[in-house]
Amino acid sequence: MSRPAQAIIDLAALRHNYRLVNNIDPASQTMAVIKANGYAHGAVEVAQALEGLAPAFGVSSIEEGLALRKAGITTPILLLQGLYNRDELQIALIQHFWIVVQNQLQLQMLTEAVLDKPLNVWLKVDTGMHRLGFQLSEAEQAYTALTQSSNVADNLVLATHLACADELDNDFTHQQLVAFKQFCQGKPEQTSIANSAGLLGWPEAKSDWDRAGLILYGASPFLYEHEIASQLQPVMTLKSGIIALRKVEKGERVGYGGIWQAQRQSLIATVSIGYADGYPRVTANGTPVLVHGQKAPIAGRVSMDMIGVDVTDIHNVAIGDEVTLWGDSLNINEVAIGAQTLSYDLLAGMPARVPRIYINR
Ligand SMILES: *Cc1c(COP(=O)(O)O)cnc(C)c1O
């Protein structure tokens, strides 16, 4: 017997989500963003499942790109943060990496280099996120430098990133779109704007290249109902099992600090999952898990590798029974709310300790 904590990764759901997302805007190309080890689903497995479907992958760093090439992935890979130093230019050329150019230093490195062949470049423009990209005042000059450089291939892409696209009533997205479209006016290059929330929520954010991350993994960037988001299938299901059961009397407490107190005689299941397994310590009492397909609330502070669950209202619970923490039939956003965070954080934070079990339903 091994520990029951497992992350089941459904690669058929991943492909379903890719096709669904790609169909939102059939005229555009949808890059699959698989940085941070594919939001901790396993970048190699995710890339293998999407190779042939996705025209390009997005990763953060050259290391993440090299890991994919080492595994035999041949699809173009965009380095979303660009290069960190000069030596990486040759590697990018050899490995068919596309590079973002997002600051003056990267621009200088690229235009001053002596390269055998030009690189595929995405010029990042800062329209209000204020994280990466050229400010609008310097973007024209960067654009001119790139279009005149023999180190830059003809298929330059103009890109920006939205700061507030998950808030559909926030006018800031509109302001970013106006600023970006103004910059792109009269320029023949392809453009790229939307992340998951942009793709689902902002029709004007669709452009030649969409960059989809979260929604490929089956989570919605919105906390309210959304028609297309409701058709996504969760890729990661976090599961574990009950390893102990006890009755506690009214007034007795459960777990560290005794922060949960029984309001009635209760049946408490101890489940083998905790904050060392990516289930956040701050998760509030009452956050649901699934036992026998029914919701049951967590009871007491999350420990390093255990939680308490109040299973008083569920029939015939036994040691060994399976428990779902999120994923199949339990929306990860419900857990994210209980943990005061986002599904992004829960998924990407899944540590290596939890075995990944790949299925292809
Ligand atoms: C991570 C990332 C994305 C994907 O964002 P999601 O919200 O997960 O879809 C898109 N573009 C850039 C530049 C990113 O860094």
Side-chain angles (χ1 to χ4, degrees), residues 1 3-4 240-248 254 266-273 289 291-292 297 299 305-312 316-323:
M1 263 298 282
R3 186 167 184 247
S240 192
I242 295 174
I243 58 167
L245 269 176
R246 75 204 58 244
K247 260 200 188 111
V248 300
V254 169
S266 306
L267 186 62
I268 299 297
T270 303
V271 177
S272 187
I273 200 88
V289 305
V291 181
H292 297 185
D305 50 14
M306 285 175 273
I307 57 172
V309 176
D310 178 0
V311 292
T312 314
N316 298 325
V317 174
I319 291 177
D321 286 357
E322 189 175 275
V323 176

Side-chain angles (χ1 to χ4, degrees), residues 31-32 35 61 70 96 100 216 257 297 306 324 326 328 346 360:
M31 167 176 293
K35 66 192 179 201
S61 65
K70 211 168 159 194
H96 301 286
V100 164
L216 298 183
M306 285 175 273
T324 299
W326 67 63
D328 202 11
L346 295 182
N360 233 320

Side-chain angles (χ1 to χ4, degrees), residues 33 35 39 80 124 131 161 194-197 211-215 344:
V33 178
K35 66 192 179 201
Y39 293 37
L80 292 165
K124 181 100 171 225
R131 186 176 65 174
H161 195 63
N195 61 354
S196 290
R211 308 182 305 269
L214 186 73
I215 48 180
Y344 288 92

Side-chain angles (χ1 to χ4, degrees), residues 125 127 136 139-140 143 158 160 173-188 191 193 204:
V125 181
T127 54
L136 286 163
E140 266 324 314
Y143 171 79
L158 310 178
T160 195
T173 300
H174 189 68
Q175 295 172 33
Q176 285 194 271
L177 292 171
V178 169
F180 188 62
K181 282 176 185 174
Q182 210 167 337
F183 172 74
C184 296
Q185 192 139 51
K187 300 185 173 71
T191 59
I193 306 169
E204 321 106 274

Side-chain angles (χ1 to χ4, degrees), residues 52-290:
L53 269 181
F57 295 127
V59 300
S60 294
S61 65
I62 198 147
E63 287 80 8
E64 290 183 349
L66 287 169
L68 295 174
R69 287 286 180 260
K70 211 168 159 194
I73 300 297
T74 57
T75 301
I77 294 171
L78 176 67
L79 308 181
L80 292 165
Q81 297 183 1
L83 302 179
Y84 308 108
N85 61 60
R86 260 168 233 282
D87 303 338
E88 294 178 343
L89 281 164
Q90 286 300 336
I91 303 173
L93 204 56
I94 293 163
Q95 301 288 342
H96 301 286
F97 294 151
W98 302 352
I99 60 171
V100 164
V101 171
Q102 49 89 3
N103 67 25
Q104 291 289 355
L105 190 64
Q106 290 181 340
L107 178 65
Q108 208 178 333
M109 276 180 348
L110 174 62
T111 53
E112 289 174 357
V114 180
L115 301 178
D116 298 339
K117 276 189 307 183
L119 276 163
N120 285 20
V121 175
W122 288 37
L123 170 62
K124 181 100 171 225
V125 181
D126 179 6
T127 54
M129 176 79 173
H130 297 334
R131 186 176 65 174
L132 297 182
F134 291 86
Q135 313 265 317
L136 286 163
S137 58
E138 48 182 9
E140 266 324 314
Q141 173 261 333
Y143 171 79
T144 305
L146 289 173
T147 50
Q148 290 176 353
S149 169
S150 57
N151 289 337
V152 178
D154 288 338
N155 52 5
L156 180 68
V157 176
L158 310 178
T160 195
H161 195 63
L162 301 174
C164 304
D166 56 334
E167 299 166 23
L168 292 184
D169 52 359
N170 190 333
D171 185 57
F172 192 66
T173 300
H174 189 68
Q175 295 172 33
Q176 285 194 271
L177 292 171
V178 169
F180 188 62
K181 282 176 185 174
Q182 210 167 337
F183 172 74
C184 296
Q185 192 139 51
K187 300 185 173 71
E189 281 79 13
Q190 291 198 320
T191 59
S192 177
I193 306 169
N195 61 354
S196 290
L199 246 166
L200 293 189
W202 295 86
E204 321 106 274
K206 290 166 190 165
S207 57
D208 301 300
W209 281 94
D210 301 318
R211 308 182 305 269
L214 186 73
I215 48 180
L216 298 183
Y217 306 100
S220 173
F222 309 123
L223 294 182
Y224 41 82
E225 275 297 310
H226 183 282
E227 197 200 317
I228 296 169
S230 70
Q231 298 168 52
L232 295 167
Q233 296 174 2
V235 176
M236 179 194 292
T237 295
L238 181 62
K239 284 189 174 174
S240 192
I242 295 174
I243 58 167
L245 269 176
R246 75 204 58 244
K247 260 200 188 111
V248 300
E249 298 303 326
K250 180 174 174 179
E252 289 191 308
R253 294 169 182 275
V254 169
Y256 283 119
I259 62 166
W260 185 90
Q261 188 173 28
Q263 303 299 308
R264 55 177 175 169
Q265 190 186 62
S266 306
L267 186 62
I268 299 297
T270 303
V271 177
S272 187
I273 200 88
Y275 60 80
D277 307 302
Y279 195 86
R281 182 174 176 280
V282 297
T283 310
N285 280 327
T287 303
V289 305
L290 284 188

